[in-house]
Amino acid sequence: MTVPAAPDAPLLRIDALTKSFGGFVALNDVSVQVRKGERFGLIGPNGSGKTTLVHCISGALRPNKGAVIFGGEDVTPLPPNQRSRRGIARSFQIPRPFRSMTVLENLMVALDFAAGRETLESTAHRREAAMSILARIGLAAKAESPTATLTQVELRKMELARAMATGPKLLISDEAMAGLSTSEVDEVLDLLMSLGGDDIAIIMIEHIMQAVMRFSQRVMCLDAGRIIAIGPPAEVMANARVQEAYLGT
Amino acid sequence: MQRRSIAFWLGAVVFLAAMLAMTQLVRNEYPFFAGYVILQFVVLAVAWTILGGYAGYVNFGTNAFFGVGVYTAVLLVKAFGAPLPVQIATAAVVGSLLGLGVGLLTLRMRGIFFSIATIALAIIIETSITNFRFVGGAAGIQLQRPPVTAPFDSYVKMLFFVQALLVVIAVAITRGIQNSRIGRGLHALRDDELAAECTGVPTLRLKLLACVISGALMAAAGAPAAMYLQYANPDSAFNLNYSVSVLAMALIGGTAHWIGPVLGAILLGATQQLLAVTISSEVNVLVLGVMLVLFVVAAPKGVIGLVQRQPKRRGGSK
């Protein structure tokens, strides 16, 4: 089943993806590729299909048509946990922590079931790994706090930390900055910039334009389930259709 | 962890030794007759907690698994005159297979739908047994106890000790699950199933595993009941009271830790036995209802929630 990816093959290839809910077509024939280590921005008005696309990539939804190819392998029939083991991680638009657990335990879930678990055989090793991720994210002081006591920005960070703990090759951040103050937006943006790199591609869904412009190497704009523009951020922003659909001018 | 394990197994040995000593020293049979029922409920409540507490899937079909255990034993005795250990082992296997089947059919449903499906299961199996003439059908079946083996001087005392053994096995397995990554995975999927999946937790596999282990233990607990009563009929073996009592015991004790259902079963089971002697066996159900309401209102996390007001949770095992 697994075909070794060619050196310049894309990390993620979305192939003619269509997803409809009853008569409503949420995604219509969407095809796009994301390179290894790329910082990819995904924008579009509310209801344009951004989160549906994320659900299809992470496995929470099965597309009606089309395929999701990850690392050269067709992952379309796989459940989310199998995709997680292959390197697809995500955060949620509305944070979904494991509420009965502490921050550290949330990360331990990821490490307990991660693909590379063999290298972290003992619980002590996994704890250490979780603590080092928390330190990187800036949540080390909250490790033993129950998730119920976290602020909004801390919850967002915790979700990113938990996603990182699965050892991803692709991290999808679904509006991690929604509802945050300006300084908090900068904080989370810096964090996302630092998490990406040679090994981890990031797809960032965001409504905050300065953040998208600063973050993305490429931007894609969806409207009513179709791609209306894709390319360098400045180019996409200048696109008349994007301005019409998204900015409403 | 290491020290705690030693303490746990030491406790288990002391418990079994005490139970064995009791069977040798106490003459009166009644304490064993009543104690057997309490121990049986401890096994059922602990087994229920694996799926109902850790994974948050409320199983209303305890009576289905229990009854299947009873009738597996009846069938084996009737057909082959099988000895007690064989009855219990086979019941556990049948219970695990039933758990697997139920799990595959129903675990994709969530919340109340899963609970309703488990009730339906109990009704279907009870109806089948009612129409199964070989094991007595609706009228039930009388069973003859074989002669008792040393060192026990009565069959009830032996069954009491056997049930005590089952308690240790059930608690050891449940404790093992709680302290392993399986336990953490079950807790994660109870909190949020989609988030658990996306974090790499194979939720369906874990739920199936929980259902299989829970089912095996419940059926094993039911197997000796046939010989305990020397009689079995579908009405009592598949009585919905088992489901309700076990659920109440687990919730009253608290489901975050294996000690919860143990305490709950002892507390409620002992109260029921006491009331059955002093007032009437019908009053049981009333008391159960009142206690459940009291606990849901005053101590939603059960007895263990009362004991450790500020539950200390750690990344490691407990």
Side-chain angles (χ1 to χ4, degrees):
Chain A
M1 190 79 183
T2 316
V3 185
D8 56 345
L11 177 68
L12 174 74
R13 202 175 91 218
I14 311 245
D15 220 7
L17 214 62
T18 297
K19 175 72 193 173
S20 49
F21 301 97
F24 175 72
V25 182
L27 286 177
N28 196 347
D29 201 25
V30 169
S31 295
V32 66
Q33 302 189 348
V34 175
R35 290 189 309 272
K36 196 178 156 208
E38 186 173 11
R39 294 198 305 272
F40 190 87
L42 178 53
I43 61 171
N46 288 326
S48 60
K50 302 184 298 294
T51 296
T52 305
L53 183 60
V54 174
H55 280 328
C56 286
I57 297 171
S58 66
L61 288 175
R62 296 268 167 91
N64 300 78
K65 259 184 270 169
V68 178
I69 317 286
F70 186 75
E73 182 190 1
D74 185 357
V75 298
T76 324
L78 298 180
N81 76 76
Q82 293 286 337
R83 300 191 196 200
S84 163
R85 293 179 67 85
R86 281 162 177 72
I88 301 178
R90 67 173 290 187
S91 71
F92 292 90
Q93 198 171 349
I94 296 158
R96 304 179 76 145
F98 302 131
R99 290 182 194 282
S100 69
M101 303 183 193
T102 64
V103 171
L104 182 66
E105 284 170 332
N106 264 266
L107 267 68
M108 291 296 283
V109 171
L111 289 162
D112 275 350
F113 290 91
R117 178 169 179 274
E118 295 70 28
T119 55
L120 298 166
E121 203 34 75
S122 83
T123 312
H125 280 148
R126 293 205 288 280
R127 252 182 102 92
E128 223 168 82
M131 283 311 293
S132 90
I133 293 170
L134 284 175
R136 204 172 148 196
I137 302 273
L139 272 184
K142 296 281 180 179
E144 301 287 351
S145 308
T147 47
T149 64
L150 297 186
T151 64
Q152 192 64 16
V153 65
E154 285 166 346
L155 272 179
R156 304 279 182 183
K157 286 182 180 175
M158 194 283 290
E159 283 226 320
L160 290 176
R162 191 176 65 188
M164 288 303 291
T166 64
K169 297 192 186 86
L170 171 68
L171 173 64
I172 308 171
S173 155
D174 193 350
E175 294 199 35
M177 300 166 203
L180 300 187
S181 72
T182 320
S183 64
E184 287 169 342
V185 165
D186 286 340
E187 208 179 317
V188 173
L189 187 62
D190 288 340
L191 188 61
L192 277 173
M193 297 281 265
S194 76
L195 293 179
D198 300 337
D199 292 328
I200 303 177
I202 298 184
I203 298 179
M204 183 175 91
I205 300 184
E206 206 49 66
H207 277 306
I208 301 165
M209 275 311 142
Q210 311 92 289
V212 178
M213 297 289 281
R214 213 184 112 199
F215 175 82
S216 315
Q217 294 165 327
R218 271 198 307 158
V219 172
M220 175 167 98
C221 180
L222 282 176
D223 184 32
R226 288 175 188 278
I227 301 172
I228 56 170
I230 184 165
E235 214 173 276
V236 170
M237 291 307 156
N239 185 307
R241 285 183 66 195
V242 172
Q243 296 196 348
E244 187 190 340
Y246 191 75
L247 305 171
T249 48
Chain B
M1 167 83 199
Q2 204 67 323
R3 256 206 343 251
R4 278 170 177 274
S5 277
I6 294 169
F8 171 79
W9 286 109
L10 221 62
V13 169
V14 170
F15 167 73
L16 284 179
M19 295 297 116
L20 187 65
M22 238 177 99
T23 61
Q24 304 303 310
L25 299 174
V26 179
R27 275 280 185 76
N28 186 350
E29 271 208 7
Y30 179 73
F32 302 100
F33 203 76
Y36 171 89
V37 176
I38 296 172
L39 292 177
Q40 165 189 292
F41 273 119
V42 172
V43 179
L44 289 174
V46 167
W48 185 90
T49 299
I50 299 173
L51 189 64
Y54 297 169
Y57 273 71
V58 174
N59 179 0
F60 261 102
T62 305
N63 56 338
F65 290 97
F66 181 85
V68 161
V70 173
Y71 271 94
T72 303
V74 169
L75 188 66
L76 286 174
V77 170
K78 182 97 193 292
F80 315 109
L84 190 64
V86 176
Q87 295 169 32
I88 295 173
T90 314
V93 172
V94 175
S96 68
L97 290 177
L98 183 67
L100 183 67
V102 173
L104 284 173
L105 284 174
T106 60
L107 280 175
R108 286 165 211 274
M109 298 180 222
R110 297 202 184 155
I112 192 79
F113 301 105
F114 172 77
S115 304
I116 292 171
T118 54
I119 297 179
L121 166 86
I123 295 172
I124 293 167
I125 297 177
E126 185 184 346
T127 311
S128 316
I129 297 288
T130 306
N131 291 290
F132 189 6
R133 274 289 170 75
F134 185 70
V135 291
I141 186 169
Q142 298 275 354
L143 295 166
Q144 204 68 53
R145 281 180 188 157
V148 67
T149 30
F152 302 100
D153 57 8
S154 91
Y155 210 83
V156 167
K157 286 184 183 177
M158 186 181 82
L159 287 179
F160 172 81
F161 186 69
V162 165
Q163 202 63 257
L165 267 176
L166 286 177
V167 165
V168 169
I169 292 171
V171 169
I173 290 174
T174 308
R175 178 177 176 274
I177 290 174
Q178 187 185 312
N179 289 337
S180 73
R181 69 191 191 118
I182 298 170
R184 206 194 300 277
L186 290 173
H187 272 144
L189 78 89
R190 181 196 58 196
D191 285 352
D192 192 319
E193 208 153 328
L194 178 60
E197 267 284 327
C198 290
T199 310
V201 180
T203 56
L204 185 62
R205 232 177 40 218
L206 288 189
K207 284 188 287 179
L208 278 177
L209 186 67
C211 204
V212 164
I213 295 173
S214 172
L217 290 174
M218 285 176 178
M227 281 301 165
Y228 170 77
L229 293 170
Q230 304 182 74
Y231 173 73
N233 77 345
D235 228 23
S236 56
F238 291 92
N239 200 309
L240 193 62
N241 266 345
Y242 284 111
S243 299
V244 178
S245 299
V246 164
L247 186 141
M249 287 164 181
L251 294 184
I252 285 173
T255 56
H257 192 283
W258 58 264
I259 198 77
V262 174
L263 292 176
I266 293 173
L267 189 70
L268 253 187
T271 312
Q272 287 185 336
Q273 288 304 311
L274 207 70
L275 290 173
V277 186
T278 51
I279 307 175
S280 92
S281 56
E282 293 302 314
V283 118
N284 281 343
V285 189
L286 177 71
V287 168
L288 195 129
V290 171
M291 280 180 85
L292 193 54
V293 169
L294 280 180
F295 268 86
V296 166
V297 173
K301 289 194 170 163
V303 176
I304 45 177
L306 286 178
V307 174
Q308 41 178 161
R309 275 241 163 246
Q310 204 57 43
K312 255 194 179 170
R313 298 188 143 273
R314 289 283 150 121
S317 56
K318 2 181 201 282

